[in-house]
Amino acid sequence: MPDTATPLTEAAIAQQLAALAEVRKAIARVIVGQDAVVEQLLVGLLAGGHCLLEGVPGLGKTLLVRSLSQALKLDFRRIQFTPDLMPSDILGTEILEEDHGTGRRSFKFQKGPVFTNLLLADELNRTPPKTQAALLEAMQEHTVSSAGTTWALPEPFFVLATQNPLEQAGTYPLPEAQLDRFLLHIRVDYPTEAEERAIISQTTGAAGQAITAAMSGDEVLALQKLTRDVPLSDDLLGWITRLVRATRPQDTSVPQVREWLRWGAGPRAGQSLALAAKARALLHGRYAVTRDDVRALAGPVLRHRLLLSFAAEAEARTADEAVAAVLEAVRL
């Protein structure tokens, strides 16, 4: 890994940001449109957080994640979550090995697919809570514990989970504790007409361009450290704190929150919003956070951390509407 103890010059920072721009260009060779989704994925990468993607089938979520891993030269693995998947299928298991020379037998830990840099947890809400919980330690601590031994996961470690908003029969909603581990909840919407036409043309013709790696894992780690060094003013820090606290029905002065929410965001939401705003500022070539960074990421950071009330569900209200009401009421 590059020596991050040495102060970076402006030229070195510009070189790293240029490599990040090449990553976006490499993904754009395969993915048509979805600029906001790609930006939020890169924000999650720079902030060192995990992302939850939600969208109907056929929108290219798996292709997007695979393209990101190729552009970043990271080890990539995909797990298709099903109702019969067990925790050992993800984390690994102890197997009995015999030394053919001595005849001695011993247990050896066979690592599971979670030991990778970029893990695609496809349709995470289709597996039971026992298997969903197997990812909690990996996501939070970047370790896996088995038979009294703790194994460190490779760095960088980045979980991208998808869930299908349709066909809710036979699915298991993610518990709040696990949802809180995701830095961003990214909505993947339908493409525009022009984008959809380009997608059809591009995928039904000759083979497209191959993605070339534009950044290594060590460079990603260096950028993650640089992200944490981006300045955040006291005014913006205070605003982020007040935004998060305003989502809690027992503390808020926002009438929509008291009516629509049963539970608000915790302190981890404030940490996530501050870190994601720093990452977005760096992604846009700025060395300080602005209010636009906070406003742009308030929805992806907060929407999965808010629990709607029965009244809100009856009125078909959404968490995004509650976030918009908070942003309107709580000004910088």
Side-chain angles (χ1 to χ4, degrees):
M1 179 177 174
D3 184 9
T4 53
T6 304
L8 288 173
T9 63
E10 188 173 349
I13 294 175
Q15 184 177 3
Q16 291 183 350
L17 294 181
L20 198 58
E22 288 300 317
V23 170
R24 298 187 74 163
K25 291 180 182 178
I27 296 174
R29 295 191 188 103
V30 176
I31 302 298
V32 178
Q34 303 292 4
D35 294 333
V37 175
V38 173
E39 177 175 287
Q40 290 173 28
L41 282 178
L42 292 178
V43 164
L45 181 76
L46 294 183
H50 313 292
C51 296
L52 177 64
L53 288 86
E54 183 174 328
V56 298
L59 295 182
K61 298 186 295 294
T62 302
L63 178 62
L64 175 58
V65 176
R66 189 181 298 276
S67 301
L68 179 63
S69 68
Q70 293 171 348
L72 291 172
K73 201 177 181 179
L74 296 178
D75 186 26
F76 168 77
R77 293 188 183 180
R78 173 187 178 183
I79 304 175
Q80 183 66 49
F81 282 82
T82 57
D84 60 347
L85 201 70
M86 298 298 292
S88 59
D89 296 327
I90 303 171
L91 305 179
T93 186
E94 297 280 335
I95 60 174
L96 186 63
E97 274 195 345
E98 181 177 350
D99 189 327
H100 296 290
T102 63
R104 294 183 58 185
R105 296 181 177 181
S106 60
F107 282 99
K108 177 185 176 182
F109 181 66
Q110 183 71 36
K111 294 180 178 179
V114 75
F115 287 85
T116 187
N117 296 121
L118 188 56
L119 177 68
L120 173 58
D122 219 350
E123 294 192 300
L124 183 58
N125 59 335
R126 291 208 176 276
T127 200
K130 180 180 180 180
T131 307
Q132 292 174 357
L135 278 177
L136 278 175
E137 180 189 357
M139 292 172 64
Q140 184 65 26
E141 308 295 339
H142 290 200
T143 59
V144 168
S145 298
S146 176
T149 303
T150 300
W151 306 82
L153 295 173
E155 296 290 348
F157 177 67
F158 190 41
V159 174
L160 288 176
T162 69
Q163 65 177 8
N164 182 355
L166 305 177
E167 302 175 12
Q168 290 304 309
T171 59
Y172 304 85
L174 296 177
E176 287 75 11
Q178 187 161 13
L179 284 173
D180 202 31
R181 261 66 175 188
F182 287 102
L183 180 82
L184 302 176
H185 180 187
I186 303 173
R187 291 270 170 79
V188 184
D189 295 322
Y190 287 109
T192 64
E193 182 178 350
E195 290 171 349
E196 190 162 355
R197 178 175 178 172
I199 290 171
I200 296 172
S201 174
Q202 183 172 305
T203 55
T204 57
Q209 301 180 21
I211 294 180
T212 55
M215 186 180 294
S216 67
D218 289 340
E219 290 173 318
V220 171
L221 292 174
L223 274 174
Q224 287 180 349
K225 183 183 184 303
L226 181 61
T227 298
R228 290 183 171 269
D229 293 334
V230 173
L232 178 67
S233 69
D234 289 339
D235 288 340
L236 286 174
L237 181 59
W239 187 38
I240 290 172
T241 305
R242 288 186 287 115
L243 285 173
V244 173
R245 293 181 64 85
T247 64
R248 301 167 191 167
Q250 64 272 24
D251 297 330
T252 189
S253 60
V254 184
Q256 294 94 328
V257 170
R258 288 197 298 267
E259 181 183 355
W260 296 343
L261 299 184
R262 281 190 289 161
W263 201 257
R268 190 180 280 120
Q271 297 170 333
S272 299
L273 186 52
L275 200 54
K278 289 184 176 186
R280 186 179 186 272
L282 197 63
L283 197 60
H284 284 259
R286 289 183 273 101
Y287 306 126
V289 179
T290 67
R291 71 175 70 194
D292 291 337
D293 298 319
V294 177
R295 184 176 290 275
L297 292 168
V301 168
L302 294 174
R303 64 168 59 114
H304 58 297
R305 293 180 163 97
L306 306 180
L307 190 61
L308 293 174
S309 66
F310 294 114
E313 292 176 354
E315 297 175 9
R317 298 290 183 180
T318 65
D320 285 342
E321 290 180 288
V323 173
V326 169
L327 286 171
E328 180 64 27
V330 182
R331 300 298 183 92
L332 176 61

